[in-house]
Amino acid sequence: MTTLREAAAKKGIFMGAAVNTGISRDATYKALAQKQYNLATAENACKWGATHPQQGKFDFSNCDEIRNFTLNEMKGTFRGHNLCWGSYNPGWLKSLSATAKKAALINHIQEMAKHYGSDAFAWDVVNEAVTDNGGAQDPLKNTDWYPDVPDYIDVAFTTARAAFPKNVKLFYNDYNILDKRTKSDRVYKLVKSMIDRKVPIDGVGLQAHIGGGYSDVAGVKVNMERFGALGLDVHITELDISYNSWSQSSETEQAKIYADLLQACLDTPACKSFETWGFTDKYTWKGTNKHPLPFDENFKPKAAVSSMISVLTGSPAPGPSPSPPSPSPTPPGPKRSYDRLTQTCLNAAAITGKLSVGSVSECETLCDKQTGCTSLDTDGSDCYLKSHCEGQTGQCSGWCGYRVKTLIV
Ligand code: G3I
Protein backbone atom coordinates (compact mmCIF):
# COMPACT_ATOMS: atom_id res chain seq x y z
CA MET A 1 0.00 0.00 0.00
CA THR A 2 1.20 3.53 -0.78
CA THR A 3 2.53 5.32 2.30
CA LEU A 4 1.71 8.87 3.34
CA ARG A 5 5.31 9.73 2.62
CA GLU A 6 5.29 8.37 -0.94
CA ALA A 7 1.98 10.05 -1.73
CA ALA A 8 3.12 13.37 -0.23
CA ALA A 9 6.40 13.25 -2.16
CA LYS A 10 4.52 13.15 -5.45
CA LYS A 11 2.65 16.33 -4.41
CA GLY A 12 5.84 18.04 -3.22
CA ILE A 13 4.51 18.66 0.28
CA PHE A 14 6.10 17.97 3.65
CA MET A 15 4.13 15.31 5.54
CA GLY A 16 5.41 15.41 9.08
CA ALA A 17 4.95 14.29 12.65
CA ALA A 18 6.30 15.29 16.02
CA VAL A 19 8.48 12.55 17.49
CA ASN A 20 10.04 12.16 20.88
CA THR A 21 13.08 10.52 22.36
CA GLY A 22 11.11 7.27 22.74
CA ILE A 23 12.32 6.47 19.20
CA SER A 24 15.41 4.84 20.69
CA ARG A 25 13.31 2.56 22.92
CA ASP A 26 10.47 1.58 20.60
CA ALA A 27 11.55 0.00 17.32
CA THR A 28 8.02 -0.19 15.91
CA TYR A 29 7.43 3.49 16.61
CA LYS A 30 10.69 4.42 14.98
CA ALA A 31 10.15 2.26 11.90
CA LEU A 32 6.67 3.66 11.33
CA ALA A 33 7.89 7.26 11.56
CA GLN A 34 10.60 6.51 9.02
CA LYS A 35 8.26 4.76 6.65
CA GLN A 36 5.35 7.19 6.69
CA TYR A 37 6.82 10.69 7.11
CA ASN A 38 9.34 12.93 5.36
CA LEU A 39 9.55 15.60 8.07
CA ALA A 40 9.87 15.46 11.85
CA THR A 41 9.86 17.84 14.79
CA ALA A 42 11.03 17.10 18.31
CA GLU A 43 7.89 17.14 20.47
CA ASN A 44 9.85 18.31 23.51
CA ALA A 45 13.57 17.66 23.01
CA CYS A 46 14.56 21.03 21.54
CA LYS A 47 12.72 23.25 24.04
CA TRP A 48 14.51 25.32 26.66
CA GLY A 49 13.86 22.77 29.42
CA ALA A 50 15.82 20.14 27.50
CA THR A 51 18.51 22.23 25.82
CA HIS A 52 19.25 24.91 28.44
CA PRO A 53 18.66 23.28 31.85
CA GLN A 54 21.04 25.64 33.70
CA GLN A 55 21.82 29.22 32.80
CA GLY A 56 24.58 29.31 30.20
CA LYS A 57 24.92 25.46 30.23
CA PHE A 58 23.54 23.79 27.16
CA ASP A 59 22.64 20.13 26.69
CA PHE A 60 21.88 19.37 23.05
CA SER A 61 21.81 15.57 23.44
CA ASN A 62 18.04 14.98 23.25
CA CYS A 63 17.48 17.50 20.48
CA ASP A 64 20.45 16.03 18.61
CA GLU A 65 18.87 12.59 18.86
CA ILE A 66 15.75 13.75 17.03
CA ARG A 67 17.78 15.80 14.52
CA ASN A 68 20.03 12.83 13.78
CA PHE A 69 17.11 10.43 13.47
CA THR A 70 15.31 12.78 11.07
CA LEU A 71 18.26 13.58 8.84
CA ASN A 72 20.16 10.27 8.90
CA GLU A 73 17.58 7.53 9.42
CA MET A 74 14.31 9.00 8.21
CA LYS A 75 16.31 10.88 5.56
CA GLY A 76 13.73 13.58 5.98
CA THR A 77 13.54 17.26 6.81
CA PHE A 78 13.97 18.53 10.36
CA ARG A 79 11.67 21.27 11.71
CA GLY A 80 12.80 23.12 14.84
CA HIS A 81 10.45 23.70 17.80
CA ASN A 82 10.99 26.11 19.57
CA LEU A 83 13.32 28.98 20.44
CA CYS A 84 11.09 31.08 22.71
CA TRP A 85 7.95 30.08 24.59
CA GLY A 86 6.40 31.70 27.64
CA SER A 87 5.70 28.33 29.31
CA TYR A 88 7.59 25.19 30.36
CA ASN A 89 10.84 27.08 30.80
CA PRO A 90 13.54 26.04 33.27
CA GLY A 91 13.17 27.47 36.77
CA TRP A 92 16.32 29.57 36.56
CA LEU A 93 14.85 31.72 33.78
CA LYS A 94 11.76 32.73 35.73
CA SER A 95 13.73 34.35 38.54
CA LEU A 96 15.92 36.57 36.33
CA SER A 97 15.56 40.34 36.10
CA ALA A 98 14.01 41.75 32.90
CA THR A 99 17.43 42.80 31.59
CA ALA A 100 18.95 39.39 32.33
CA LYS A 101 15.99 37.63 30.67
CA LYS A 102 16.52 39.57 27.47
CA ALA A 103 20.23 38.71 27.50
CA ALA A 104 19.38 35.04 28.14
CA LEU A 105 16.95 35.02 25.19
CA ILE A 106 19.59 36.41 22.84
CA ASN A 107 22.24 34.01 24.17
CA HIS A 108 19.91 30.99 23.84
CA ILE A 109 19.00 31.71 20.23
CA GLN A 110 22.61 32.38 19.28
CA GLU A 111 23.81 29.13 20.87
CA MET A 112 21.03 27.11 19.22
CA ALA A 113 21.93 28.67 15.87
CA LYS A 114 25.63 27.94 16.40
CA HIS A 115 24.87 24.29 17.14
CA TYR A 116 22.09 23.60 14.63
CA GLY A 117 22.97 25.93 11.73
CA SER A 118 20.69 24.96 8.86
CA ASP A 119 19.96 21.42 10.14
CA ALA A 120 16.35 22.51 10.61
CA PHE A 121 14.83 24.11 7.53
CA ALA A 122 12.51 26.16 9.77
CA TRP A 123 12.27 27.07 13.46
CA ASP A 124 9.32 28.17 15.54
CA VAL A 125 11.10 31.27 16.80
CA VAL A 126 8.27 32.41 19.05
CA ASN A 127 5.54 30.09 20.26
CA GLU A 128 2.13 31.09 21.62
CA ALA A 129 2.55 34.80 22.42
CA VAL A 130 -0.99 36.01 21.70
CA THR A 131 -3.73 36.12 24.36
CA ASP A 132 -6.77 33.84 24.36
CA ASN A 133 -8.87 36.59 25.93
CA GLY A 134 -10.82 38.01 23.02
CA GLY A 135 -11.81 41.07 25.07
CA ALA A 136 -8.31 41.96 26.22
CA GLN A 137 -6.84 45.32 25.18
CA ASP A 138 -3.34 43.89 25.03
CA PRO A 139 -2.93 41.28 22.29
CA LEU A 140 -0.01 39.62 24.07
CA LYS A 141 -0.46 37.22 26.96
CA ASN A 142 1.44 37.45 30.22
CA THR A 143 4.20 34.85 30.19
CA ASP A 144 7.75 34.25 31.39
CA TRP A 145 8.75 36.86 28.81
CA TYR A 146 5.94 39.38 28.82
CA PRO A 147 5.59 42.09 30.02
CA ASP A 148 9.13 41.83 31.47
CA VAL A 149 10.67 42.04 28.01
CA PRO A 150 8.05 44.04 26.08
CA ASP A 151 9.79 43.69 22.71
CA TYR A 152 10.75 40.02 23.15
CA ILE A 153 9.09 38.91 19.88
CA ASP A 154 11.07 41.41 17.80
CA VAL A 155 14.23 40.57 19.74
CA ALA A 156 13.79 36.83 19.18
CA PHE A 157 13.20 37.13 15.43
CA THR A 158 15.92 39.71 14.87
CA THR A 159 18.41 37.63 16.83
CA ALA A 160 17.43 34.47 14.98
CA ARG A 161 17.78 36.15 11.57
CA ALA A 162 21.28 37.33 12.42
CA ALA A 163 22.34 34.01 13.97
CA PHE A 164 20.89 31.33 11.66
CA PRO A 165 21.93 30.83 8.02
CA LYS A 166 19.62 32.78 5.75
CA ASN A 167 18.00 29.67 4.26
CA VAL A 168 16.47 28.80 7.66
CA LYS A 169 12.85 29.93 7.80
CA LEU A 170 11.63 31.78 10.87
CA PHE A 171 8.08 31.03 12.08
CA TYR A 172 5.57 32.36 14.58
CA ASN A 173 3.53 29.38 15.89
CA ASP A 174 0.26 29.37 17.87
CA TYR A 175 -2.91 27.43 18.74
CA ASN A 176 -6.55 28.38 18.10
CA ILE A 177 -5.53 30.30 14.98
CA LEU A 178 -6.31 27.60 12.40
CA ASP A 179 -9.33 29.41 10.97
CA LYS A 180 -10.38 33.04 10.83
CA ARG A 181 -11.40 34.21 14.31
CA THR A 182 -10.45 36.89 16.86
CA LYS A 183 -7.19 35.22 17.89
CA SER A 184 -6.02 34.61 14.32
CA ASP A 185 -6.97 38.22 13.47
CA ARG A 186 -4.62 39.27 16.25
CA VAL A 187 -1.85 37.05 14.97
CA TYR A 188 -2.41 38.47 11.49
CA LYS A 189 -2.00 42.01 12.86
CA LEU A 190 1.08 40.98 14.81
CA VAL A 191 2.91 39.46 11.84
CA LYS A 192 1.79 42.21 9.47
CA SER A 193 3.18 44.77 11.87
CA MET A 194 6.44 42.82 11.98
CA ILE A 195 6.63 42.83 8.19
CA ASP A 196 5.79 46.56 8.05
CA ARG A 197 8.53 47.29 10.61
CA LYS A 198 11.02 45.02 8.76
CA VAL A 199 11.26 42.52 11.61
CA PRO A 200 12.28 39.31 9.82
CA ILE A 201 9.61 36.59 9.66
CA ASP A 202 9.04 33.90 7.03
CA GLY A 203 5.96 32.05 8.13
CA VAL A 204 3.13 31.25 10.50
CA GLY A 205 2.56 27.85 12.10
CA LEU A 206 -1.05 26.85 12.70
CA GLN A 207 -1.00 24.30 15.51
CA ALA A 208 -4.49 22.82 14.98
CA HIS A 209 -5.23 20.92 18.21
CA ILE A 210 -8.91 20.43 17.43
CA GLY A 211 -11.78 18.18 18.41
CA GLY A 212 -14.30 15.95 16.66
CA GLY A 213 -17.01 17.89 14.84
CA TYR A 214 -14.58 20.50 13.51
CA SER A 215 -15.98 21.85 10.26
CA ASP A 216 -14.68 25.33 9.41
CA VAL A 217 -12.40 24.19 6.59
CA ALA A 218 -13.48 27.19 4.49
CA GLY A 219 -12.29 29.47 7.32
CA VAL A 220 -8.98 27.61 7.40
CA LYS A 221 -8.44 28.30 3.72
CA VAL A 222 -9.32 32.01 4.03
CA ASN A 223 -6.95 32.23 6.98
CA MET A 224 -4.04 30.51 5.20
CA GLU A 225 -4.58 32.63 2.11
CA ARG A 226 -4.39 35.92 4.02
CA PHE A 227 -1.06 34.90 5.59
CA GLY A 228 0.11 33.83 2.13
CA ALA A 229 -0.89 37.23 0.75
CA LEU A 230 1.58 38.78 3.19
CA GLY A 231 4.30 36.71 1.51
CA LEU A 232 4.49 34.25 4.40
CA ASP A 233 4.63 30.46 4.28
CA VAL A 234 2.04 28.57 6.30
CA HIS A 235 2.70 25.28 8.07
CA ILE A 236 0.08 23.15 9.78
CA THR A 237 2.35 22.30 12.69
CA GLU A 238 0.60 20.33 15.43
CA LEU A 239 -2.58 18.79 14.09
CA ASP A 240 -4.50 16.31 16.23
CA ILE A 241 -8.25 15.65 16.37
CA SER A 242 -9.50 14.45 19.75
CA TYR A 243 -12.66 12.57 20.72
CA ASN A 244 -14.22 12.10 24.14
CA SER A 245 -15.91 8.91 22.97
CA TRP A 246 -14.80 6.74 20.11
CA SER A 247 -16.80 4.67 17.63
CA GLN A 248 -16.82 3.69 13.97
CA SER A 249 -18.57 6.95 13.14
CA SER A 250 -15.94 8.99 15.02
CA GLU A 251 -13.22 7.27 13.02
CA THR A 252 -15.04 8.04 9.77
CA GLU A 253 -15.59 11.65 10.76
CA GLN A 254 -11.99 12.05 11.90
CA ALA A 255 -10.75 10.69 8.57
CA LYS A 256 -12.83 13.27 6.73
CA ILE A 257 -11.53 16.16 8.84
CA TYR A 258 -7.92 15.05 8.29
CA ALA A 259 -8.58 14.75 4.55
CA ASP A 260 -10.41 18.07 4.27
CA LEU A 261 -7.62 19.95 6.08
CA LEU A 262 -4.98 18.30 3.92
CA GLN A 263 -6.96 19.22 0.83
CA ALA A 264 -7.18 22.85 2.04
CA CYS A 265 -3.39 22.87 2.48
CA LEU A 266 -2.80 21.41 -1.00
CA ASP A 267 -5.16 24.00 -2.47
CA THR A 268 -3.32 26.91 -0.84
CA PRO A 269 0.08 27.68 -2.41
CA ALA A 270 1.41 29.21 0.84
CA CYS A 271 0.79 25.95 2.75
CA LYS A 272 4.03 23.97 2.54
CA SER A 273 3.91 21.52 5.42
CA PHE A 274 1.24 19.32 6.99
CA GLU A 275 2.26 17.89 10.33
CA THR A 276 0.55 16.03 13.16
CA TRP A 277 1.57 16.28 16.83
CA GLY A 278 2.73 12.70 17.14
CA PHE A 279 1.37 10.03 14.82
CA THR A 280 0.22 7.16 17.02
CA ASP A 281 -2.45 7.21 19.72
CA LYS A 282 0.03 5.23 21.82
CA TYR A 283 2.09 8.37 22.42
CA THR A 284 0.11 11.58 22.47
CA TRP A 285 -0.08 14.49 24.89
CA LYS A 286 -3.87 14.28 24.55
CA GLY A 287 -4.02 10.74 25.98
CA THR A 288 -4.58 7.47 24.12
CA ASN A 289 -8.28 7.52 25.09
CA LYS A 290 -8.81 10.64 22.95
CA HIS A 291 -7.73 8.79 19.76
CA PRO A 292 -6.39 11.98 18.14
CA LEU A 293 -3.81 10.69 15.64
CA PRO A 294 -3.81 8.85 12.29
CA PHE A 295 -2.37 5.56 13.65
CA ASP A 296 -3.96 3.75 16.60
CA GLU A 297 -2.22 2.68 19.81
CA ASN A 298 -1.14 -0.58 18.12
CA PHE A 299 0.40 1.37 15.22
CA LYS A 300 -2.37 0.26 12.85
CA PRO A 301 -3.49 2.88 10.31
CA LYS A 302 -6.88 4.37 11.08
CA ALA A 303 -9.28 5.55 8.37
CA ALA A 304 -7.47 8.92 8.43
CA VAL A 305 -4.41 7.38 6.77
CA SER A 306 -6.24 6.12 3.70
CA SER A 307 -8.34 9.29 3.46
CA MET A 308 -5.20 11.44 3.41
CA ILE A 309 -3.47 9.14 0.90
CA SER A 310 -6.54 9.38 -1.23
CA VAL A 311 -6.41 13.18 -1.19
CA LEU A 312 -2.73 13.07 -2.11
CA THR A 313 -3.08 10.55 -4.92
CA GLY A 314 -6.45 11.66 -6.22
CA SER A 315 -7.94 8.17 -5.93
CA PRO A 316 -11.11 7.53 -3.93
CA ALA A 317 -10.65 6.32 -0.36
CA PRO A 318 -12.25 3.06 0.67
CA GLY A 319 -15.47 3.62 2.59
CA PRO A 320 -17.15 7.02 2.91
CA SER A 321 -15.23 9.31 0.62
CA PRO A 322 -13.63 12.57 1.66
CA SER A 323 -14.19 15.69 -0.43
CA PRO A 324 -12.93 15.24 -3.99
CA PRO A 325 -9.35 16.31 -4.58
CA SER A 326 -8.89 19.37 -6.74
CA PRO A 327 -6.29 19.67 -9.51
CA SER A 328 -2.65 20.27 -8.68
CA PRO A 329 -2.36 23.83 -7.32
CA THR A 330 0.53 24.74 -9.56
CA PRO A 331 0.14 24.76 -13.32
CA PRO A 332 3.27 24.21 -15.41
CA GLY A 333 5.21 27.43 -15.97
CA PRO A 334 7.24 28.42 -19.04
CA LYS A 335 9.88 25.99 -20.32
CA ARG A 336 13.14 26.40 -18.43
CA SER A 337 16.66 25.07 -18.64
CA TYR A 338 19.05 24.32 -15.77
CA ASP A 339 22.73 24.90 -14.97
CA ARG A 340 24.51 22.04 -13.25
CA LEU A 341 26.43 23.22 -10.17
CA THR A 342 29.63 22.08 -8.51
CA GLN A 343 27.83 20.60 -5.52
CA THR A 344 24.46 20.84 -3.89
CA CYS A 345 23.00 24.36 -3.93
CA LEU A 346 24.53 26.80 -1.48
CA ASN A 347 22.07 28.50 0.91
CA ALA A 348 19.09 26.97 -0.84
CA ALA A 349 15.82 26.57 1.06
CA ALA A 350 14.08 23.22 0.62
CA ILE A 351 10.46 23.60 -0.44
CA THR A 352 9.71 19.89 -0.61
CA GLY A 353 10.76 16.76 1.18
CA LYS A 354 12.47 13.94 -0.71
CA LEU A 355 10.79 13.15 -4.02
CA SER A 356 11.46 9.93 -5.92
CA VAL A 357 12.42 10.34 -9.57
CA GLY A 358 13.83 8.18 -12.35
CA SER A 359 16.20 10.77 -13.80
CA VAL A 360 17.61 14.27 -13.36
CA SER A 361 15.23 15.60 -16.00
CA GLU A 362 12.25 14.17 -14.12
CA CYS A 363 13.35 16.21 -11.08
CA GLU A 364 13.67 19.27 -13.32
CA THR A 365 10.14 18.71 -14.61
CA LEU A 366 8.86 18.61 -11.02
CA CYS A 367 10.68 21.90 -10.39
CA ASP A 368 9.07 23.42 -13.49
CA LYS A 369 5.68 22.62 -12.03
CA GLN A 370 6.32 23.81 -8.48
CA THR A 371 5.68 27.47 -7.64
CA GLY A 372 8.81 29.16 -6.36
CA CYS A 373 11.19 26.35 -7.39
CA THR A 374 14.40 27.93 -8.67
CA SER A 375 16.86 25.13 -8.01
CA LEU A 376 17.07 21.49 -7.06
CA ASP A 377 19.37 18.84 -5.68
CA THR A 378 19.28 15.39 -7.21
CA ASP A 379 21.30 12.28 -7.88
CA GLY A 380 18.73 11.23 -10.48
CA SER A 381 16.89 9.11 -7.93
CA ASP A 382 16.16 11.30 -4.90
CA CYS A 383 15.09 14.87 -5.70
CA TYR A 384 14.68 17.93 -3.47
CA LEU A 385 13.13 21.11 -4.84
CA LYS A 386 14.53 24.41 -3.56
CA SER A 387 13.59 28.03 -3.61
CA HIS A 388 16.94 29.73 -3.68
CA CYS A 389 20.47 28.89 -4.73
CA GLU A 390 23.88 30.50 -4.57
CA GLY A 391 25.90 27.62 -5.93
CA GLN A 392 28.51 27.93 -8.73
CA THR A 393 28.24 26.17 -12.07
CA GLY A 394 30.87 23.56 -12.91
CA GLN A 395 31.66 19.86 -12.56
CA CYS A 396 30.30 17.50 -9.92
CA SER A 397 29.89 13.83 -9.16
CA GLY A 398 27.00 12.00 -7.48
CA TRP A 399 24.81 14.64 -5.91
CA CYS A 400 24.56 17.84 -7.92
CA GLY A 401 22.70 21.07 -7.57
CA TYR A 402 20.85 22.41 -10.58
CA ARG A 403 19.81 26.02 -10.97
CA VAL A 404 17.28 27.53 -13.37
CA LYS A 405 19.33 29.16 -16.14
CA THR A 406 17.00 30.52 -18.77
CA LEU A 407 13.34 31.19 -18.97
CA ILE A 408 12.19 30.43 -22.52
CA VAL A 409 8.71 31.96 -22.70
O1 G3I B 1 9.38 12.78 30.73
C1 G3I B 1 8.75 13.11 31.97
C2 G3I B 1 8.54 11.86 32.79
O2 G3I B 1 9.79 11.30 33.13
C3 G3I B 1 7.74 12.21 34.04
O3 G3I B 1 7.44 11.06 34.74
C4 G3I B 1 6.46 12.90 33.68
C5 G3I B 1 5.68 13.36 34.90
O4 G3I B 1 4.77 14.36 34.59
O5 G3I B 1 6.75 14.05 32.90
C6 G3I B 1 7.42 13.74 31.68
O6 G3I B 1 7.65 14.92 30.98
C7 G3I B 1 6.54 15.51 30.36
C8 G3I B 1 6.80 15.62 28.87
O7 G3I B 1 5.73 16.29 28.26
C9 G3I B 1 6.98 14.26 28.19
O8 G3I B 1 5.78 13.54 28.24
C10 G3I B 1 6.33 16.88 30.95
O9 G3I B 1 5.97 16.78 32.33
C11 G3I B 1 5.25 17.60 30.20
O10 G3I B 1 5.19 18.94 30.65
C12 G3I B 1 5.56 17.60 28.73
O11 G3I B 1 4.47 18.17 28.08
C13 G3I B 1 4.69 18.62 26.75
C14 G3I B 1 4.24 20.08 26.66
O12 G3I B 1 4.30 20.51 25.31
C15 G3I B 1 5.14 21.00 27.47
O13 G3I B 1 6.43 21.05 26.96
C16 G3I B 1 3.91 17.73 25.80
O14 G3I B 1 4.49 16.43 25.78
C17 G3I B 1 3.95 18.31 24.39
O15 G3I B 1 3.10 17.59 23.56
C18 G3I B 1 3.48 19.76 24.45
O16 G3I B 1 3.58 20.29 23.14
C19 G3I B 1 3.02 21.59 22.97
C20 G3I B 1 3.86 22.32 21.95
O17 G3I B 1 5.20 22.33 22.36
C21 G3I B 1 3.34 23.74 21.72
N1 G3I B 1 1.95 23.71 21.38
C22 G3I B 1 1.06 22.99 22.28
C23 G3I B 1 1.56 21.57 22.47
C24 G3I B 1 0.62 20.79 23.35
O18 G3I B 1 0.60 21.32 24.64
Side-chain angles (χ1 to χ4, degrees):
M1 185 186 158
T2 310
T3 63
L4 284 169
R5 177 183 186 140
E6 287 161 351
K10 292 199 174 107
K11 282 284 186 188
I13 188 172
F14 289 118
M15 174 61 66
V19 295
N20 54 53
T21 46
I23 49 170
S24 53
R25 297 187 296 277
D26 189 330
T28 314
Y29 173 74
K30 184 174 171 178
L32 191 58
Q34 264 173 258
K35 185 173 170 191
Q36 295 286 347
Y37 296 95
N38 61 16
L39 177 144
T41 295
E43 181 168 351
N44 291 310
C46 301
K47 294 173 180 171
W48 278 64
T51 57
H52 202 164
Q54 290 174 265
Q55 187 169 13
K57 294 220 162 64
F58 287 82
D59 177 356
F60 299 116
S61 55
N62 288 338
C63 188
D64 283 0
E65 182 183 340
I66 306 297
R67 184 262 326 257
N68 294 346
F69 164 73
T70 307
L71 298 182
N72 304 333
E73 296 181 75
M74 174 186 270
K75 299 208 187 310
T77 297
F78 183 48
R79 193 178 186 288
H81 175 83
N82 58 57
L83 298 173
C84 173
W85 186 11
S87 307
Y88 298 99
N89 288 307
W92 63 262
L93 178 73
K94 297 171 196 287
S95 55
L96 295 183
S97 69
T99 312
K101 271 189 187 176
K102 188 168 182 170
L105 177 61
I106 293 169
N107 170 250
H108 180 84
I109 293 174
Q110 288 175 337
E111 290 301 315
M112 292 292 282
K114 206 182 291 172
H115 188 80
Y116 290 104
S118 53
D119 292 349
F121 88 117
W123 275 96
D124 292 325
V125 177
V126 172
N127 191 49
E128 301 175 13
V130 168
T131 183
D132 298 297
N133 177 357
Q137 286 286 343
D138 191 336
L140 300 186
K141 69 167 71 149
N142 284 3
T143 66
D144 293 342
W145 299 108
Y146 189 83
D148 282 5
V149 186
D151 59 345
Y152 81 99
I153 300 176
D154 290 1
V155 169
F157 276 90
T158 306
T159 304
R161 186 66 297 149
F164 281 93
K166 63 182 170 194
N167 58 335
V168 174
K169 298 214 173 207
L170 309 181
F171 272 68
Y172 175 79
N173 187 52
D174 213 333
Y175 61 89
N176 284 350
I177 62 162
L178 179 60
D179 43 38
K180 194 177 171 324
R181 58 174 79 182
T182 304
K183 189 171 177 187
S184 51
D185 290 349
R186 286 189 150 160
V187 170
Y188 179 83
K189 278 193 196 139
L190 170 74
V191 299
K192 182 165 185 325
S193 145
M194 290 170 68
I195 293 166
D196 290 345
R197 292 180 292 109
K198 310 247 179 296
V199 177
I201 178 168
D202 300 308
V204 174
L206 312 179
Q207 290 188 9
H209 299 292
I210 57 178
Y214 185 84
S215 63
D216 190 13
V217 178
V220 175
K221 200 152 182 317
V222 168
N223 197 38
M224 291 195 290
E225 279 165 356
R226 67 172 166 168
F227 287 119
L230 291 176
L232 298 173
D233 285 351
V234 174
H235 292 173
I236 305 274
T237 51
E238 304 184 12
L239 176 59
D240 46 30
I241 307 170
S242 296
Y243 285 80
N244 288 327
S245 63
W246 187 247
S247 63
Q248 181 62 52
S249 70
S250 339
E251 183 171 350
T252 303
E253 182 198 77
Q254 186 187 54
K256 176 159 169 45
I257 301 171
Y258 269 111
D260 287 349
L261 290 174
L262 178 55
Q263 186 68 61
C265 179
L266 292 177
D267 288 345
T268 310
C271 186
K272 304 277 170 51
S273 178
F274 190 84
E275 185 176 7
T276 52
W277 203 237
F279 57 94
T280 161
D281 291 339
K282 183 172 184 182
Y283 304 119
T284 160
W285 74 291
K286 284 288 187 181
T288 300
N289 63 346
K290 301 283 185 200
H291 307 273
L293 292 165
F295 291 86
D296 75 10
E297 62 271 39
N298 299 311
F299 303 108
K300 295 277 174 286
K302 289 153 65 179
V305 173
S306 50
S307 72
M308 287 192 284
I309 290 173
S310 161
V311 162
L312 291 163
T313 59
S315 57
S321 59
S323 56
S326 66
S328 172
T330 317
K335 180 114 186 68
R336 311 189 296 176
S337 66
Y338 291 82
D339 268 339
R340 194 165 83 156
L341 310 180
T342 45
Q343 265 299 326
T344 59
C345 282
L346 188 66
N347 287 331
I351 55 174
T352 64
K354 187 171 75 175
L355 307 171
S356 296
V357 293
S359 64
V360 169
S361 66
E362 202 178 311
C363 185
E364 291 174 352
T365 305
L366 291 174
C367 184
D368 293 346
K369 290 181 181 166
Q370 176 77 38
T371 302
C373 182
T374 53
S375 62
L376 51 100
D377 280 353
T378 188
D379 59 359
S381 161
D382 295 343
C383 161
Y384 296 84
L385 304 185
K386 308 216 163 181
S387 68
H388 176 86
C389 185
E390 294 168 8
Q392 305 240 316
T393 55
Q395 294 300 308
C396 61
S397 58
W399 278 93
C400 297
Y402 293 80
R403 178 170 49 183
V404 172
K405 185 167 61 176
T406 343
L407 284 176
I408 310 159
V409 186

